[in-house]
């Protein structure tokens, strides 16, 4: 009851301020003030204010909010643990199975990865330049190693 009265008074005061603003030939600002002033009145007329007041003073509603908060905390915690472990249980099991199936037998003579596609010998490093120029041979060697 008090909330509805306060909202109606706020709406009436806002409409009065909008009328004064319109009298000063600031019609756009007056229309905006009137729009803001009509919001509390609309909330009272639709019953939202009464519902909010009933919810704010209801212990059952607050218990419901606590349950929702607890559910959200459990969900967030399980997602954080799942990310830290590296995926869901199905993903971990599939990864464990794939590593067991691809393992090399102890008596195997050839590596399981097959022959290397690149030669194992590395090219000799370029001779270092002497003088005032900066030495980029290490960087060039790293880029060549990665095929860049």
């Amino acid at each position: 009851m008090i909330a509805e009265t306060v909202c109606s008074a706020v709406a009436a005061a806002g409409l009065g301020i909008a009328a004064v603003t319109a009298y000063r030939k600031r019609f756009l600002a007056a229309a905006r003030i009137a729009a803001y002033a009509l919001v509390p009145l609309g909330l009272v007329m639709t019953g939202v204010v009464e519902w909010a007041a009933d919810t704010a003073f209801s212990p059952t509603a607050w218990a419901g909010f606590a349950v929702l908060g607890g559910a959200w905390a459990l969900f967030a915690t399980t997602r954080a643990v799942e990310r830290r472990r590296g995926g869901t249980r199905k993903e971990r099991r599939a990864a464990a199975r794939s590593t067991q199936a691809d393992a090399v037998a102890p008596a195997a003579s050839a590596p399981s990865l097959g022959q290397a596609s690149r030669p194992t010998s590395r090219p000799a490093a370029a001779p270092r330049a002497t003088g005032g120029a900066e030495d980029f041979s290490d960087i060039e060697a790293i880029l060549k190693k990665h095929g860049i």
Side-chain angles (χ1 to χ4, degrees), residues 27-145:
F27 298 109
L28 187 62
R32 193 173 300 127
I33 292 170
Y36 281 122
L38 291 174
V39 169
L41 186 63
L43 291 175
V44 167
M45 294 175 79
T46 58
V48 172
V49 173
E50 182 180 348
W51 173 81
D54 290 342
T55 303
F57 298 113
S58 170
T60 306
W62 284 106
F65 286 128
V67 168
L68 288 174
W72 177 83
L74 282 173
F75 179 72
T77 303
T78 56
R79 291 293 294 172
V81 169
E82 186 176 84
R83 285 190 189 122
R84 180 170 279 200
R85 286 188 179 174
T88 62
R89 178 181 284 176
K90 289 180 181 180
E91 292 170 353
R92 288 193 308 271
R93 284 185 182 171
R97 286 184 193 134
S98 68
T99 56
Q100 290 175 356
D102 295 342
V104 177
S109 60
S112 63
L113 296 176
Q115 295 295 329
S117 61
R118 289 187 272 166
T120 56
S121 64
R122 294 187 183 190
R128 296 181 184 246
T130 57
E134 292 185 25
D135 186 21
F136 291 109
S137 62
D138 295 336
I139 296 172
E140 290 175 4
I142 292 171
L143 292 174
K144 285 181 184 177
K145 178 181 174 184

Side-chain angles (χ1 to χ4, degrees), residues 17-19 21-36:
I17 292 170
T21 306
Y23 179 75
R24 294 181 180 169
K25 307 284 186 200
R26 297 180 58 204
F27 298 109
L28 187 62
R32 193 173 300 127
I33 292 170
Y36 281 122

